[in-house]
């Protein structure tokens, strides 16, 4: 039996889930893995959590660095979140020679490469399975089982909060504000929902996935991220009529022009498996040259799911530690450029409010034609009391730069009142 | 750079796929993993394959044991299949101190536990990711990322051939024989399709998955397996009318009475994600106490998919070898009984051909009532020219033993011409 001593920093819902698993399954881990996993030090600024979680006061502290500095601790679990103290904690833990497990996508998507190099140089592990897709095994399969492949695409639904909102906008016709209020009431969205609804959480996750599959170093600031804040239920409903679902997709693709990486509301065929991923569920699609398409699906949020991934990482680190196994190196060896979003080629859905005058359509289609962008469909909705009409265009594949130019020119037309929506369409 | 020398035995389609990946991605593996993977010895009884695959005659032999006995070879890939020579080859390779990678579910589901123990005792790896779900990472996630969970269920579609047939019976109304002929013409089914259509291939796979998730030793002979040979397109079509799809499901569940493990055609709700898994695709659903439901989906067959898993295993074994890492032990520590199929509790669909006489229904329902099995629906189809009618019963949850007794008593009734179909229904 190998005793492995663990320090845990951050006692939010995931931290509570980790404590629960470690205590309920302690004897199973002894029997199955020959591992006696002991929580020997716990830190949180909110000292009320200690009693709430039934922790022995002797192991509790409000000082995170008392955990990283504890000579007994062999594995540090960082669940503070964010890129401030969390970064200092991980740096301190590695400097003190400890293995680290984190669920922190923001940290890994900004400083991950440097932290992984630091860990590797010392023969230490830095594991982060919980940072993408909650409990869905995805980081490990990409780093191990799928390594025989040249991977061309990794994409999916990686933010449960927005997927919950989009599902309810589509299925129950809720507005964005109603969907957000409901998500907040249920605890799926924070009081300040920016990280979720502005696509930053998803951007951090796709940066991590892209770094692994393309053996490169992609950081959060390199990801073009658009959220769902401006999404109208009108467009959700038109999309459904046209046979599409709107999902906040995180996409990373290897192209001749570099890595195409982005997060934005995306119209996808209603029949595609990703369209059926509803509520807080996540799903990640991976395409490799040998394996073809594989998909990983599961709960993307929740204390249990994330804690499952964190404790899975702890067990892996403990196994390696107790076997004196060395760490298999970081594989970020390729330098691949990020393709600017202006070079993106995809299809576009545009909804415009225009004056219902004769010749309007002709003037607008002339703008598309001038940029050699062809249209796959044009749909005019009824005329409103104020004499305006709604026109929806869906283009064939076009360059983003051309679409941006077209929008600029359309906005300058006196008959065009507003560009009400621009949504990218992916055939998948 | 670590040079790792590989021997490959069996040059069928998967073997060809492995050679293709090792040659096309050789330089990538050097760059990304610091591994120079070299194929140094290859064996097949069909010596014509050597030239077909463009292999250097100097490394080719028709003697499998020339590969296992080659002192240069560090990792042996066994792709012979079956439990005869393949077993001797794996035993010989391990005895000679070599790491082994296999795609052989039949071997692993019969002698796997003994072989894994032999490997472990010598500090050697025996990897078998390709044996379940083609290229879908499933063995590794269950052995690693999901270990924090107490897993209650693992179930899914693990045979691509029968899923292709069932998809075409459902979508195009093909008969069993037509679907089989088409699958054979396309190379999805063998000339002798028994292993697929009788459910033995799926039984071997679910035995492997159950062994891992229940930390137990489940072998092929312990799995109750029924195939699709007797499945009528009539029932596929009735199932669709009732809101179900019929899939050949492999199921393993932990129950108070032991492990419930079985393979049989199963009616599942048409809205469940597994119902949407069509053609040769596979999908495996796992339920854990922390992670909730996760699903793994991908191509279950094909040279590329299986080769992806085999080479993934080779890379893992080579990484461990070059780092002098020891093997993390086999975790089959629990002795759990297999629950007899007679103790199964589920819902049942029964289709009977009866004489269309008054009082028939009353006599039949009395039989169900006598065994305290209640019915959730009764459907009578039109009367045929010969005066017989078709009656379909769907039961509420009932014990298999009771259903068997009921069938025996129904068959003894003079008005019952035949029990045309018995299909288990899972709510999932």
């Amino acid at each position: 039996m190998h005793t492995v001593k663990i320090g845990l920093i951050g006692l939010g819902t995931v931290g509570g889930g980790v404590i629960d698993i470690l205590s309920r399954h302690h004897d199973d881990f002894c029997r199955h893995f020959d591992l006696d996993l002991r929580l020997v030090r716990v830190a949180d600024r909110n000292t009320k959590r200690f009693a709430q979680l039934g922790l022995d006061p002797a192991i509790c502290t409000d000082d995170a660095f008392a955990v990283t500095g504890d000579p007994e601790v062999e594995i540090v679990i960082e669940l503070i979140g964010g890129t401030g103290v969390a970064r200092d904690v991980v740096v301190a833990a590695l400097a003190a020679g400890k293995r680290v497990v984190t669920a922190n996508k923001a940290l890994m998507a900004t400083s991950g490469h440097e932290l992984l190099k630091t860990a590797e140089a010392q023969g230490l592990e830095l594991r982060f399975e919980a940072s993408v897709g909650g409990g869905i095994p995805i980081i490990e399969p990409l780093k191990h089982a799928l390594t025989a492949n040249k991977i061309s695409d990794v994409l999916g639904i990686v933010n449960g909060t927005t997927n919950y909102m989009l599902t309810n906008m589509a299925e129950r016709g809720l507005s964005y504000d109603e969907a957000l209020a409901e998500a907040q009431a249920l605890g799926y969205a924070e009081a300040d929902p920016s990280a979720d609804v502005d696509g930053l959480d998803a951007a951090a996750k796709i940066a991590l996935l892209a770094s692994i599959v393309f053996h490169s170093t992609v950081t959060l600031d390199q990801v073009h991220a658009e959220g769902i804040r401006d999404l109208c239920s009108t467009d959700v409903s038109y999309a459904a009529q046209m046979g599409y679902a709107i999902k906040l997709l995180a996409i990373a693709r290897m192209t001749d022009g570099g890595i195409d990486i982005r997060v934005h509301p995306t119209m996808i065929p209603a029949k595609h498996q990703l369209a059926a991923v509803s509520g807080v569920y996540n799903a990640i699609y991976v395409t490799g040259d040998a394996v073809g398409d594989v998909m990983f699906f599961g709960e993307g949020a929740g204390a249990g799911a994330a804690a499952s991934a964190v404790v899975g990482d702890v067990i892996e680190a403990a196994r390696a530690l107790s076997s004196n196994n060395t760490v298999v190196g970081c594989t970020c060896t390729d330098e691949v450029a990020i393709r600017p979003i202006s070079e993106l080629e995809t299809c576009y859905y545009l909804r415009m409010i225009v004056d219902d005058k004769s010749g309007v359509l002709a003037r607008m289609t002339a703008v598309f034609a001038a940029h050699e962008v062809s249209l796959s469909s044009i749909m005019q909705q009824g005329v409103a009391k104020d004499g305006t009409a709604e026109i929806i265009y869906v283009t064939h594949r076009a360059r983003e730069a051309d679409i941006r130019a077209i929008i600029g020119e359309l906005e300058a037309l006196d008959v065009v009142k507003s560009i009400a929506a621009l949504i990218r369409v992916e055939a998948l």
Side-chain angles (χ1 to χ4, degrees), chain A:
Chain A
M1 185 75 65
H2 301 279
T3 299
V4 177
K5 293 177 180 165
I6 300 162
L8 168 59
I9 305 172
L11 296 178
T13 52
V14 179
V18 168
I19 289 172
D20 177 53
I21 295 176
L22 287 176
S23 89
R24 272 193 305 120
H25 291 341
H26 175 268
D27 296 353
D28 294 330
F29 298 156
C30 289
R31 198 167 73 256
H32 297 148
F33 311 128
D34 233 17
L35 291 175
D36 168 19
L37 300 182
R38 290 196 198 161
L39 198 59
V40 297
R41 208 94 172 93
V42 169
D44 199 285
R45 281 192 306 190
N46 175 2
T47 55
K48 287 181 188 157
R49 287 291 281 161
F50 304 145
Q52 283 168 8
L53 293 165
L55 294 165
D56 173 2
I59 68 164
C60 299
T61 169
D62 62 357
D63 176 11
F65 298 96
V67 178
T68 58
D70 185 330
E72 266 214 310
V73 170
E74 295 165 284
I75 299 174
V76 170
I77 306 174
E78 182 279 303
L79 297 175
I80 304 170
T83 55
V85 181
R87 189 178 177 285
D88 298 338
V89 161
V90 172
V91 168
L94 293 174
K98 299 177 194 317
R99 277 75 182 160
V100 176
V101 172
T102 179
N104 192 329
K105 57 240 149 197
L107 176 63
M108 292 306 295
T110 47
S111 311
H113 303 290
E114 164 210 340
L115 294 171
L116 285 166
K117 281 228 165 77
T118 306
E120 197 188 345
Q122 296 189 74
L124 296 173
E125 282 192 288
L126 168 55
R127 303 181 67 96
F128 53 102
E129 181 63 70
S131 59
V132 182
I136 307 169
I138 180 67
I139 306 281
E140 284 298 293
L142 293 178
K143 282 191 166 184
H144 298 281
L146 293 173
T147 42
N149 291 270
K150 192 175 188 88
I151 288 175
S152 57
D153 301 67
V154 55
L155 57 86
I157 295 164
V158 292
N159 181 271
T161 306
T162 48
N163 200 54
Y164 178 85
M165 292 170 60
L166 292 174
T167 302
N168 284 288
M169 289 172 75
E171 290 179 2
R172 293 163 52 212
L174 298 192
S175 70
Y176 170 85
D177 289 329
E178 288 165 342
L180 176 58
E182 187 172 294
Q184 284 171 326
L186 289 167
Y188 296 149
E190 314 267 336
D192 173 3
S194 319
D196 292 322
V197 302
D198 294 334
L200 300 174
D201 173 84
K205 290 167 178 171
I206 196 69
L208 291 182
L209 297 180
S211 294
I212 297 168
V213 301
F214 302 136
H215 305 279
S216 184
T217 54
V218 182
T219 51
L220 174 55
D221 56 315
Q222 294 179 301
V223 182
H224 177 87
E226 297 173 23
I228 64 166
R229 220 184 262 271
D230 299 325
L231 190 68
C232 288
S233 49
T234 314
D235 297 301
V236 174
S237 140
Y238 286 154
Q241 287 170 37
M242 297 163 70
Y244 291 98
I246 298 182
K247 293 292 185 186
L248 183 65
L249 231 57
I251 301 171
R253 285 201 174 114
M254 184 56 80
T255 74
D256 291 341
I259 299 172
D260 164 22
I261 186 162
R262 52 201 158 94
V263 171
H264 51 67
T266 312
M267 283 169 54
I268 60 174
K271 288 195 170 179
H272 192 276
Q273 268 188 306
L274 285 173
V277 175
S278 62
V280 295
Y281 279 85
N282 281 194
I284 298 133
Y285 231 86
V286 183
T287 307
D289 62 347
V291 78
D293 293 335
V294 285
M295 189 178 82
F296 302 80
F297 165 91
E299 272 179 58
S308 162
V310 168
V311 178
D313 272 351
V314 168
I315 291 171
E316 287 304 292
R319 280 169 160 177
L321 192 61
S322 62
S323 320
N324 288 313
N325 279 351
T326 58
V327 178
V328 171
C330 160
T331 60
C332 308
T333 49
D334 293 357
E335 287 189 19
V336 193
I338 302 296
R339 192 179 72 172
I341 189 75
S342 56
E343 296 300 313
L344 172 61
E345 274 195 34
T346 189
C347 304
Y348 294 83
Y349 162 104
L350 269 115
R351 179 165 61 89
M352 277 166 281
I353 310 296
V354 301
D355 277 332
D356 184 45
K357 291 183 184 158
S358 69
V360 167
L361 269 181
R363 287 177 65 190
M364 288 196 291
T365 48
V367 174
F368 285 95
H371 290 274
E372 291 178 22
V373 169
S374 64
L375 297 165
S376 72
S377 75
I378 305 177
M379 195 163 91
Q380 173 154 3
Q381 298 294 324
V383 180
K385 283 181 192 154
D386 63 358
T388 60
E390 226 171 30
I391 297 190
I392 292 160
Y393 292 99
V394 180
T395 73
H396 284 296
R397 279 179 79 83
R399 267 177 71 239
E400 177 100 1
D402 290 325
I403 295 293
R404 293 282 165 198
I406 287 168
I407 287 177
E409 292 174 33
L410 289 174
E411 279 177 330
L413 294 180
D414 56 354
V415 291
V416 174
K417 295 297 164 202
S418 69
I419 309 288
L422 170 68
I423 302 173
R424 297 174 190 86
V425 184
E426 294 276 338
L428 297 181

